[in-house]
Every structure is written in structure tokens, then in C-alpha cells.
Amino acid sequence: MKPQVLRGMRDILPERMRVRQYAMGILRDTFESFGFQPLETPAMEYAETLTGKYGEEADRLLYQFEDRGGRRVGLRYDLTVPLCRVVASYAELPRPFKRYQIAPVWRAERPQKGRYREFWQCDVDTVGSASMLADAELLGVATQALRHLGFVDFRIKLNSRKLLVALAEYAGVPPDQAVGVYRAIDKLEKVGVEAVRSELLEEGLSGQAADRLLELVQMHAPEAADLLAQVEKQLAAYPLGVEGARELGEVMGYAEALGIRPGECQVDLSMVRGLEYYTGPILEAVVERPRIGSIIGGGRYDHLVGLLGGQDEPATGLSFGLERIIDVLEELHMAPAEVCRPLTQVLVTVFSPGSASESLGLAQELRAAGIRTEVYLGADRLGAQLRYASRKGIPFVIIQGPDELAAGQLTVRDMAGDGQQRMSRDAAALWLRERLANASG
Amino acid sequence: MKPQVLRGMRDILPERMRVRQYAMGILRDTFESFGFQPLETPAMEYAETLTGKYGEEADRLLYQFEDRGGRRVGLRYDLTVPLCRVVASYAELPRPFKRYQIAPVWRAERPQKGRYREFWQCDVDTVGSASMLADAELLGVATQALRHLGFVDFRIKLNSRKLLVALAEYAGVPPDQAVGVYRAIDKLEKVGVEAVRSELLEEGLSGQAADRLLELVQMHAPEAADLLAQVEKQLAAYPLGVEGARELGEVMGYAEALGIRPGECQVDLSMVRGLEYYTGPILEAVVERPRIGSIIGGGRYDHLVGLLGGQDEPATGLSFGLERIIDVLEELHMAPAEVCRPLTQVLVTVFSPGSASESLGLAQELRAAGIRTEVYLGADRLGAQLRYASRKGIPFVIIQGPDELAAGQLTVRDMAGDGQQRMSRDAAALWLRERLANASG
């Protein structure tokens, strides 16, 4: 049998790698500009560390096995649990601890279009600050990252786990039924009021309770502050509701200073993030044009570090849907031309076995001038060498025959323009750099 | 139990991450300047793909398990086997296929200082060229990479699997005993002639055969060409010996053109690389000052793609001891000052809850000017905010009290110089950029 890649996993071939590296570079630079520092954790953790943190469904998706030392181990399912383990382990890390991590995670999901069993996540989190400034800052990070990636039309939806809990109380839903209610109202935008109402009735809510709930989550006001004032009034009897509304009010109050334009960030009481561990503000960023849906999600989770053996510590973070972002950058050709062009800029041909050293030396000079240069690996006929350049899309080819060598000259062929030009060897690097710089412009 | 990192695995905390990112960046840029392109493969492969390629000892170190679909899978042990699987799978990849990959691998080794169960490898390979130009080019890559990393005194040892096979024949060693002989002569530099001679006798060689062998592997000549001519003469009766000597002669002939200085690359007939799959030139780079030993190894392996289900294809590559390189860069402070300095360049303090938006807005301006800027997350007493900056080593702190705000001014405190200076808000970005640029110089 011919060896194959495992089902649900992928090789990323060179052309696609360059877009990945570009996207990761943008994200990394954005995070660092806010003072978030890189962190790396092992792919493998004690299974005990990983299980029970994400819910039963997720536990089923964990890659788990016994290692040779008889330890029950698993491959990480996300980057949040390893972060909390790190924070619980190293007392010396300054607080707040602001870190980002860009790394693969593994889930034994049923493979389908755009969903893989190994995929990269990109997370940015602040641990050790209960301040709403930390949550607001992440709104700023999300906005900057989307802009730098070239997304123009996006909307950040903001809600609060505290408000959701209060909403359930307000609708008279017992806590153990709340998850079903959240799941129903999360679909509001997609399926409409009537469908959500039916689902709420199926969940056991009375018609009156369902209506109360739907009225509240659909409240609108041109200004977030007005909306939140109304919500706070409606939920005045529920302390978590008041707290949640005030927290969102504080976060929204910082939006303008963070460069978020009016309308880019909205309170949306029907937005529910699935994860159980959120405790405060939650957010989701949706790109509207092109319509690619949710590509960032996150929120505050003040108890997860405690669950992982540390003291309870306030924490808040974002996770970028990196694979989706990369797919979109590719599909819509959003990466700069430079990223999509072939990596190699110049091919130095080899005229004959005896002149290979000349070719290698010239290539070294071009590299020293910052030009990515390949030497053809062999002294095949020139036609074969040109075909190689053309297949790989290398824009310039250098030819040095015996005449040219004797005269200290060379010929540069422009593979796109089809013209060629003889010049002194000394002039070549400068000439090529100018042409390559123009092509990037 | 408090969750822990698995034995033999590590968290890489932020300060160490920056040196890693720096080293990987240098390697990546070097590889790309030669036209090598990035590739990524999944961490997991069919166990069948991984086993039997590295020898029995290695098979014992593989992390293997059964996935939920009943497939026998394993975590990759190196980056060479996945490369060969890729090459055997995608007919459309142009040949020669020049790729690099920087990624973690897993081995269930007994943990010890500097040896981990998860560690990053960094490989650069050319598949599909039998030309010695491909092997020579990798010498150039190794040299450039070491120089760019800041290593000044290094030596590349070059040998050939073909010569080793011929040596064994020449000494009358039957093929199935050759491995023991290679293992013995590999120790020549470390343990000396007498100890190697004893080991050869233990391996069953006659005294005469051992002496013939030792005489040959110790041959020296000021010029590689002279040495290789002597070797070729001695091994004239062994076709592989003649071929091996000529191939090394060709590679050495390109060294100067590749920017390798005399003495930096030497033929060393006692240098043996462990891996069974090598078929042609093999090399090892040793850093001599500081004395940190071998940090690059590689060679030609013309049958591995065939073993992985493809057609036999010539291939040659290098593997960098990335973890070792990073350790040395750290220990000897070889990374540029900029890499070792704290990431955050400026902390904007928050004078009072009411002025937090001012602080966030100012930070956004500084970021737009290319300055990595944190906002203190809260309105704690100024002393606490300054302590945070000082613990994190942030060089500049900005303070904006009500007076300053009213006057459109701010105070910049230089945390190293202990001085502070009031200036207009508009001037701050430019002033800071100048100071930060000077500090990097």
C-alpha cells in the first residue's frame, strides 16, 4: 500500500504555506504591538488535565492513549487549558500575564469541508486582571488584527454570560434547563423569532416566559449605552444582570478610544458562545463582506485556572479561527501580491559542468544583495533549465555562456516580458533589485 | 493533584520564545534565500509509514497508538520520512523539490539534560536531483546559516557512505559486520587510535585489517583534492570507493564559490552518520569555538522515497540541531540585544478610571507609530503601575494626570535613567521612537 496522509489531516504544500506564514505574521505582530508575549506548550498533556474541561462531547473528540510509561496522555484539544495549566504552575510569571500562542490542536472530528482533525489555533489571553480594560483591550486586538488582515466590513457582537444567566432567571428557567434555552436563542439570527419560540416551548418554557425572553433579547437602541440602560432596568431584580449590563457598558465606553468605529461593535443579547466555562463578557467577530461568518470568538473565564489546580484567577481571551481566515485570504486573493508570487526571484543557469562554480558564486552575490536565488542543479540543456524556471514561475533567469564569462558579462532573461538583456556582472544585482522592487509595488 | 507538564516535555515561557523565534527566523530566511520553500505535514502519520525506516531502536521510541477509527497511528519521529511520503504522494510537485520544514517531533527517550521527548527539528532537503550541485548547495546553506546565527569558528566534516562501504570491503569486513566497524571508527576523534583498534579487533577484524583501515581513515593532506586522489588510488579496486571519492572531489570543488573558507570544510573519513538510509555524501557541522559539538548533520539518501511507496528518487538533506542551537544562543548571549530586551517598549499608565479611554487612545497612537505599547489594566496607585513596568523591564512609562491632560501634555519616565520629561502629546511618539532606536543600536 502506498503511504497516505491520515483521513482528516493535511499536508500544506509550499504555495499555501506562504499565505499561512503571512497571516500568522500579521497576527503575531498585532498581538505583540499590544504587549502580548509568545508561549509554547507541549502537544501532549496528561489526559486528566484535558478531560472534563470542555464537556462530554469534547471528551469524545480527544486523542487519548497510554504512553510507554503507563501514563494516560492526550493531544491538546485547544490552547486555553494548557495556558491555565501553565499559569497554575509558574508562580513567577508576572500578572497580568498576557500571552499569545499559535499552534496546532487535535480533535477526532468527523472530517468535512473546512474541518480537520489537526488544525492550528491562534489564541490571545490576559490572565490575572479582573478589569474590563482587559476585555476591552481584546476588542481592540480583534479589530486591529482584522484590519491588518484586510477585512473591511466586520461586526463584533458582544454579550455577557452574566446577562445570559440573568435572562434565564428572568424567564423563570431553572438553571439546569438554561443550556437548552441558550442554544435556542443563539439561533435567533439564523432561524427567526417563530422557530426560536417553538424551540423554547419544546424546552419546557411557558408561552409567556418565551415571549418575555424573546422581547428582551430583541431589544434594540441606536446607542449601546441606551440599550444597556434598558436591559439593566428590565433585569434590575437580578444582580448578575445588573453587573453584566454595567460591565458591557464599561467595555463599550472604551471602544472608540480603541479605534473601533461606530457600528463595528454591538451588544447582541442573543449571541451565545457554547463553552461552559465563560463567566463574563463574551464576544464574537463576524465578517460581513465577504460573508464568511464568525472568525473570532472569546470571552472571560474566571474559574478555569482554579479548575486546573491554581488559585482562581480572572482571565479573558480570544481565539482566532485561523484555518478559516487563511482559507478566505486564499479564496479572495487578499494576501499582498508579494506573498502569492513564487519565492525564488532569480534562477542562475549552469552552462556546462565546468562553469558550475561560476554560477554558484554569482548566486551567492545575488543572495548577499537580498535576492532569493536558485542555481539550476545540473548542466542540462538550456531549454530544460528555462522550462524549470517557467514551471516554477521564477521571473528572471541568468545565462552565462563562455563569451559572456570571458567579458565579465551575463544575460538576464525576463521570463514574463520574454526580452533579454546583456549587462556587466557587477551591474546585475542592482538591476535585478530595482526590477523586483517595481514588481512588488 | 496539581496538573503538571509531562516528564521530558517543556513549556517555553515568553523570554525563551523570543530567542526561538529569532533563530527560526534566521534559518527560514537563509533557506528561502536559496529557494527552499516551506512545507507542513501532520504531526500524526500511519504507524506503518513511520516504522522500519529508522531501525529497531528508533521504533521503540515511536509514540504509537490506535485512533478511534481503529487505525494504528504514530507521532512523527523526524521530518525526513514525512517529506518522502509527500514526495511519493504528489506527482505535481516540480522536481527538484526543495523544501524546508521547522516543526516538533516526538520520541519516547529517557529524558536527560538537553534531551526532550518533544523537540523541534529544522530540516532542509532537495528531492529529485542526483547532481552533486545539490549536495554542495547544502554545504552553502549550512555555512550561511551558521554565519547568520553568529557562529564564527566551525568546521564541516564531509564523508561519503560509498567510501565507508568501500573501506569495509578494503579491510575485508563482510557487509553484515560493517555497522560495528563504522561505529568503531566514528569514535576515532574522541577515543584515539589505540581504543578504536581494540574495538575493531573485538569486532572480529584481524590486526592487519584493522591497521589497513586505520591507516586509510587517518590519511591527511593539506588539500582535499590531494587527499581524495590518494584515497581513490588506495580504493581503486572498489568501484564504490572511486565513485565516492570523485563525488566528494566535485563537492569540495564548489566550496569556495559557495563562500566556504579554506579549512571550514574538510573531508574526514572517520566521520560516520548513524542513519542506515544514507547512500552518498554525508556531512556534519561542528562548532569549535565555543566548543558545542555537532549541530548540523545530513547526507544523501537516494532510496527512501522508493521505500515510502514512490519511485526511487535521489534526495539529499540537512537537519539542524535546533534545540541545541537555541540553547547555545541563550547561554552565550549570541542573539542581538533587541531580541533579549522586553517585548513591551512603553507602558501607558491609567491615572483614574475616568481617564482610561485617554490612555487607550494614546496607546493606539503609539502602536500606529510602530511602538509596542501596553496600557496598565486598571487604575491602581501609580506606584503599583510603576512596579509592574519595572518587573517587566518596560523601558518607558507614560503618565497623564489631569494637569497634563488639560494641557495636551504627558510625562515620559525613563525607567533605566530614572529621569522624566514632560512633553506635548503630539511629540511623544517621535521622541520615543528615536530613543528606542538608539537603544537598539
Side-chain angles (χ1 to χ4, degrees):
Chain A
M1 193 194 78
K2 199 166 167 148
Q4 295 177 348
V5 72
L6 281 161
R7 198 164 126 77
M9 306 208 174
R10 296 175 295 171
D11 298 310
I12 316 271
L13 301 184
E15 274 164 49
R16 308 199 68 190
M17 274 302 289
R18 298 196 59 218
V19 180
R20 285 181 91 76
Q21 289 178 338
Y22 160 77
M24 292 184 189
I26 296 266
L27 291 169
R28 185 180 137 176
D29 288 347
T30 304
F31 303 154
E32 295 194 345
S33 79
F34 281 83
F36 289 88
Q37 296 179 296
L39 174 74
E40 219 167 78
T41 63
M44 229 179 281
E45 300 271 0
Y46 280 101
E48 202 187 336
T49 305
L50 301 173
T51 48
K53 305 302 180 295
Y54 316 92
E56 274 175 41
E57 162 66 6
D59 283 358
R60 270 199 301 278
L61 300 182
L62 266 183
Y63 279 97
Q64 292 186 49
F65 61 100
E66 196 159 287
D67 78 1
R68 276 153 208 266
R71 296 169 205 86
R72 194 81 208 147
V73 300
L75 298 179
R76 67 178 163 228
Y77 175 93
D78 75 357
L79 303 175
T80 309
V81 164
L83 165 66
C84 292
R85 185 201 34 82
V86 164
V87 161
S89 306
Y90 303 87
E92 70 271 27
L93 293 173
R95 299 293 198 275
F97 180 57
K98 294 170 66 173
R99 86 87 181 80
Y100 70 90
Q101 184 168 7
I102 305 180
V105 302
W106 294 269
R107 297 182 187 179
E109 305 238 31
R110 182 174 297 276
Q112 46 180 287
K113 191 183 176 308
R115 180 165 292 181
Y116 305 101
R117 288 179 169 166
E118 172 183 83
F119 59 96
W120 285 61
Q121 283 200 337
C122 168
D123 278 26
V124 53
D125 294 81
T126 299
V127 179
S129 172
S131 168
M132 285 300 119
L133 277 168
D135 301 81
E137 180 171 73
L138 290 175
L139 279 187
V141 170
T143 306
Q144 289 296 320
L146 290 174
R147 283 207 224 296
H148 291 160
L149 287 167
F151 293 105
V152 193
D153 248 350
F154 54 85
R155 193 158 48 99
I156 301 176
K157 300 178 189 175
L158 195 63
N159 198 0
S160 160
R161 189 52 166 256
K162 290 179 182 170
L163 281 180
L164 286 168
V165 171
L167 276 178
E169 291 175 330
Y170 169 85
V173 179
D176 62 330
Q177 250 180 290
V179 173
V181 169
Y182 301 155
R183 205 181 303 126
I185 61 174
D186 193 28
K187 297 180 190 155
L188 188 60
E189 200 174 86
K190 208 186 258 175
V191 301
V193 179
E194 276 316 308
V196 173
R197 191 172 188 277
S198 307
E199 198 170 327
L200 288 172
L201 298 183
E202 276 167 40
E203 286 291 329
L205 263 67
S206 68
Q208 201 194 355
D211 291 335
R212 271 166 76 92
L213 198 58
L214 281 167
E215 195 189 336
L216 215 156
V217 299
Q218 290 182 94
M219 282 196 333
H220 270 295
E223 292 294 325
D226 297 335
L227 173 61
L228 289 167
Q230 286 175 41
V231 171
E232 193 180 327
K233 208 168 131 196
Q234 289 284 327
L235 297 175
Y238 307 92
L240 275 182
V242 173
E243 229 177 88
R246 290 193 184 160
E247 286 178 355
L248 292 194
E250 185 179 347
V251 170
M252 288 299 294
Y254 298 134
E256 193 189 335
L258 285 160
I260 298 166
R261 298 188 191 118
E264 274 181 345
C265 182
Q266 287 163 0
V267 172
D268 179 345
L269 298 179
S270 72
M271 189 274 288
V272 177
R273 305 267 326 143
L275 285 168
E276 286 289 317
Y277 57 55
Y278 288 124
T279 57
I282 52 179
L283 71 86
E284 196 167 281
V286 175
V287 172
E288 308 251 306
R289 206 180 46 187
R291 281 196 87 77
I292 54 174
S294 169
I295 52 172
I296 306 176
R300 177 167 282 279
Y301 52 99
D302 286 349
H303 301 311
L304 197 54
V305 178
L307 214 72
L308 275 145
Q311 306 269 2
D312 251 6
E313 279 205 70
T316 181
L318 293 183
S319 188
F320 286 70
L322 187 56
E323 303 291 349
R324 184 91 191 92
I325 288 172
I326 291 165
D327 285 351
V328 171
L329 292 182
E330 282 182 347
E331 278 163 34
L332 304 175
H333 308 287
M334 288 172 65
E338 167 63 17
V339 173
C340 305
R341 239 176 249 133
L343 189 105
T344 301
Q345 298 171 311
V346 175
L347 175 73
V348 179
T349 56
V350 175
F351 190 80
S352 69
S355 72
S357 283
E358 284 290 341
S359 300
L360 290 171
L362 174 60
Q364 281 296 103
E365 281 173 31
L366 297 179
R367 283 177 202 125
I371 299 169
R372 293 189 296 269
T373 307
E374 274 190 63
V375 173
Y376 189 83
L377 298 175
D380 297 340
R381 292 195 350 317
L382 185 61
Q385 302 193 37
L386 292 173
R387 265 199 306 283
Y388 174 75
S390 144
R391 264 195 79 186
K392 285 196 71 174
I394 301 172
F396 294 102
V397 171
I398 291 181
I399 303 159
Q400 273 185 307
D403 295 353
E404 284 136 328
L405 270 178
Q409 292 195 313
L410 46 75
T411 297
V412 181
R413 181 176 290 202
D414 180 342
M415 296 296 282
D418 223 29
Q420 63 180 44
Q421 195 162 336
R422 198 158 158 162
M423 66 186 75
S424 86
R425 179 177 164 146
D426 296 340
L430 201 62
W431 188 89
L432 284 163
R433 274 178 63 166
E434 265 169 30
R435 297 295 290 263
L436 290 163
N438 289 345
S440 315
Chain B
M1 194 195 77
K2 199 168 168 149
Q4 295 177 348
V5 72
L6 280 161
R7 198 164 128 76
M9 307 208 173
R10 297 175 294 171
D11 299 309
I12 317 272
L13 301 183
E15 275 165 46
R16 309 200 68 190
M17 274 303 289
R18 298 198 57 219
V19 180
R20 286 181 90 76
Q21 289 178 338
Y22 160 76
M24 291 182 190
I26 296 267
L27 292 169
R28 183 180 139 176
D29 289 346
T30 305
F31 302 154
E32 295 193 347
S33 79
F34 281 82
F36 290 89
Q37 296 179 295
L39 174 74
E40 219 168 79
T41 63
M44 230 179 279
E45 300 270 0
Y46 279 101
E48 200 186 336
T49 304
L50 301 172
T51 49
K53 306 302 180 297
Y54 317 93
E56 273 175 42
E57 161 68 5
D59 283 358
R60 270 200 301 278
L61 301 181
L62 266 183
Y63 279 97
Q64 292 185 49
F65 60 100
E66 195 161 287
D67 78 1
R68 277 153 208 263
R71 297 170 204 85
R72 194 80 209 148
V73 299
L75 298 178
R76 69 180 161 228
Y77 175 93
D78 74 358
L79 303 176
T80 309
V81 165
L83 166 66
C84 292
R85 181 193 47 74
V86 164
V87 160
S89 307
Y90 303 88
E92 70 271 29
L93 293 173
R95 298 294 198 275
F97 179 58
K98 295 171 65 175
R99 84 86 182 81
Y100 69 90
Q101 183 168 8
I102 306 180
V105 302
W106 294 269
R107 297 182 187 178
E109 304 239 30
R110 184 175 295 278
Q112 47 181 288
K113 192 186 177 305
R115 180 165 291 183
Y116 304 101
R117 288 179 169 166
E118 173 183 84
F119 59 96
W120 285 61
Q121 282 200 338
C122 168
D123 278 27
V124 54
D125 294 81
T126 299
V127 179
S129 172
S131 167
M132 284 300 119
L133 277 168
D135 302 82
E137 181 172 71
L138 290 174
L139 280 187
V141 170
T143 307
Q144 289 297 321
L146 290 174
R147 282 207 225 296
H148 291 159
L149 287 166
F151 294 106
V152 193
D153 249 351
F154 54 85
R155 194 158 47 96
I156 300 175
K157 299 178 187 175
L158 196 62
N159 198 0
S160 160
R161 189 53 166 255
K162 291 180 180 169
L163 281 180
L164 286 168
V165 171
L167 276 178
E169 290 175 328
Y170 168 84
V173 180
D176 62 332
Q177 250 181 290
V179 173
V181 170
Y182 300 156
R183 204 181 303 127
I185 62 175
D186 193 30
K187 298 181 190 155
L188 188 60
E189 199 174 87
K190 209 186 256 173
V191 302
V193 179
E194 278 315 309
V196 172
R197 190 171 188 279
S198 309
E199 199 170 325
L200 288 172
L201 298 182
E202 277 168 39
E203 287 291 330
L205 263 68
S206 68
Q208 202 195 355
D211 291 335
R212 273 166 74 92
L213 199 57
L214 281 167
E215 196 190 335
L216 215 157
V217 301
Q218 290 182 93
M219 282 195 333
H220 272 294
E223 293 294 325
D226 297 335
L227 172 61
L228 289 165
Q230 287 175 43
V231 170
E232 193 180 328
K233 209 167 130 196
Q234 289 284 329
L235 297 175
Y238 308 91
L240 276 182
V242 174
E243 229 177 89
R246 290 191 186 162
E247 286 178 353
L248 292 194
E250 184 179 347
V251 170
M252 289 299 293
Y254 299 134
E256 193 188 337
L258 286 160
I260 298 166
R261 298 187 193 118
E264 274 181 345
C265 182
Q266 287 164 2
V267 172
D268 179 344
L269 298 178
S270 73
M271 189 274 288
V272 177
R273 305 262 332 139
L275 285 167
E276 287 288 319
Y277 58 55
Y278 288 123
T279 58
I282 52 179
L283 72 85
E284 195 168 281
V286 176
V287 173
E288 308 251 303
R289 205 179 47 188
R291 280 195 88 78
I292 55 173
S294 169
I295 51 171
I296 306 176
R300 178 167 280 280
Y301 52 98
D302 286 348
H303 301 311
L304 197 53
V305 177
L307 214 72
L308 275 144
Q311 306 270 1
D312 251 6
E313 279 204 70
T316 182
L318 292 183
S319 188
F320 286 71
L322 187 57
E323 303 291 349
R324 184 94 191 89
I325 288 173
I326 291 165
D327 285 352
V328 171
L329 292 182
E330 281 183 346
E331 278 164 33
L332 304 175
H333 308 287
M334 286 172 65
E338 167 62 17
V339 173
C340 305
R341 239 176 250 134
L343 189 105
T344 301
Q345 297 171 310
V346 174
L347 175 73
V348 178
T349 56
V350 175
F351 189 80
S352 68
S355 72
S357 282
E358 284 289 341
S359 300
L360 291 172
L362 174 60
Q364 281 295 102
E365 281 173 31
L366 297 179
R367 283 176 203 128
I371 300 168
R372 292 189 297 269
T373 307
E374 274 190 62
V375 172
Y376 189 82
L377 298 175
D380 296 341
R381 289 195 326 24
L382 185 62
Q385 301 193 37
L386 291 174
R387 266 199 305 283
Y388 173 75
S390 146
R391 265 195 79 187
K392 286 196 70 174
I394 301 172
F396 294 102
V397 171
I398 291 182
I399 302 159
Q400 275 185 305
D403 296 355
E404 284 137 327
L405 271 178
Q409 291 196 315
L410 47 75
T411 297
V412 181
R413 180 176 292 201
D414 180 341
M415 296 296 282
D418 224 28
Q420 63 180 44
Q421 195 161 335
R422 198 158 157 162
M423 66 186 75
S424 86
R425 179 177 163 147
D426 296 339
L430 200 63
W431 188 88
L432 283 163
R433 274 179 63 166
E434 265 170 30
R435 297 294 291 263
L436 289 163
N438 289 345
S440 316

